[in-house]
Amino acid sequence: CLSDWSSDVCSSDLGTRSGQTLAGKRMSRGADQSFNGLGLPALFGDISEPPATPIGAHCWWWHTPHDLLENIDEANQVRDTRIYVHALWRLLTDRILPLDFAAHVRDLLAELHRLAPALGERFSLFALIAAAETTRDLADALRAATADPARIDRALMHVSRALVPMDYTSGDRFAHDPALPVPAWASLGAIRALAAAPSESDTSCFLMVEATRARNRMLHALRRANGVLARTAANSSAHEDQSRAG
């Protein structure tokens, strides 16, 4: 859900300080990624990694008793800290937070439109698609608004609390996913399974209940987000009218 800001800040600063190009990819589910269920977005994963070895992307001594100070490259740590500090400085000083939920929900809409033909008439995604389209339009309008930046930031944070768990977890704030790969919009897992199941099969019948729960959960999150976005737009419009009247 991070906007083009992330590409600008992360790519330019990382390139300037490291001489390397940021590849960029979806944030993976790591053992330390414990706040997805609360709806907190993330910006960086691992910045520095040693060259790959036969045992994987980390050195043989990683997370062993041999993982000692002598293995630390101080210059790399200083470089990485500067990258983090620059990103934090921009987060604290830019006009609004770089959270583009219109782009985020466009990804969701693409996935829903992909699933709809396989589900056919046995399971409707109409309400989800309609709610997501509303989120997209309201989020686009909010990013273009000239309202109080603090008001916009509060709205973006509330929307994040609603939508990030839908994308990055299969549970919620009370259920911690294993540190294993998680697909985009993980909360749609039961709907994806239903779409892949043969129509009128026993498997399809059993999945219908779980898919309905998944649809309800996603719809609830989208409606929460839409309520926040709509109220913020209304309050901003009223404030602008008062300012012009004054």
Side-chain angles (χ1 to χ4, degrees):
C1 58
L2 289 167
S3 65
D4 291 339
W5 177 97
S6 61
S7 298
D8 170 34
V9 172
C10 299
S11 297
S12 62
D13 194 51
L14 192 146
T16 299
R17 300 187 185 282
S18 71
Q20 301 178 45
T21 301
L22 176 68
K25 64 177 183 179
R26 175 182 169 82
M27 186 70 69
S28 60
R29 171 69 177 90
D32 300 327
Q33 204 76 16
S34 55
F35 296 109
N36 291 335
L38 298 177
L40 302 184
L43 180 60
F44 290 115
D46 293 334
I47 286 188
S48 294
E49 290 185 351
T53 68
I55 65 169
H58 294 282
C59 296
W60 65 266
W61 39 259
W62 183 59
H63 284 192
T64 74
H66 302 281
D67 198 345
L68 303 173
L69 286 173
E70 62 204 44
N71 295 313
I72 292 176
D73 187 319
E74 182 179 349
N76 284 351
Q77 291 214 322
V78 170
R79 177 201 64 198
D80 293 354
T81 300
R82 286 174 174 160
I83 293 171
Y84 288 135
V85 168
H86 178 73
L88 287 171
W89 171 68
R90 288 290 303 272
L91 283 168
L92 293 169
T93 59
D94 280 14
R95 178 177 175 271
I96 61 172
L97 293 170
L99 300 174
D100 187 351
F101 287 106
H104 195 204
V105 173
R106 287 188 187 99
D107 289 339
L108 172 60
L109 283 166
E111 178 66 3
L112 294 175
H113 285 301
R114 185 188 71 81
L115 290 170
L119 292 165
E121 296 182 358
R122 58 182 167 147
F123 191 83
S124 175
L125 296 179
F126 177 80
L128 275 186
I129 291 172
E133 288 174 342
T134 299
T135 308
R136 176 200 61 199
D137 296 342
L138 288 170
D140 265 334
L142 182 67
R143 286 181 57 78
T146 58
D148 175 18
R151 189 189 301 273
I152 295 176
D153 281 349
R154 283 195 298 272
L156 291 172
M157 286 189 286
H158 281 296
V159 174
S160 177
R161 300 301 185 271
L163 296 186
V164 169
M166 299 296 101
D167 190 2
Y168 284 90
T169 75
S170 60
D172 53 32
R173 64 174 54 212
F174 301 108
H176 197 48
D177 286 329
L180 297 170
V182 175
W185 299 103
S187 58
L188 298 177
I191 298 177
R192 291 189 181 106
L194 178 62
S199 180
E200 299 182 3
S201 65
D202 288 344
T203 299
S204 179
C205 292
F206 282 117
L207 284 169
M208 190 67 71
V209 174
E210 291 301 317
T212 300
R213 289 171 178 165
R215 180 177 60 190
N216 291 344
R217 181 170 172 243
M218 179 66 79
L219 189 57
H220 175 66
L222 289 168
R223 286 172 174 170
R224 280 178 58 200
N226 291 345
V228 170
L229 292 169
R231 286 193 297 273
T232 303
N235 291 337
S236 298
S237 178
H239 179 74
E240 289 174 0
D241 290 343
Q242 290 175 357
S243 298
R244 283 193 292 269

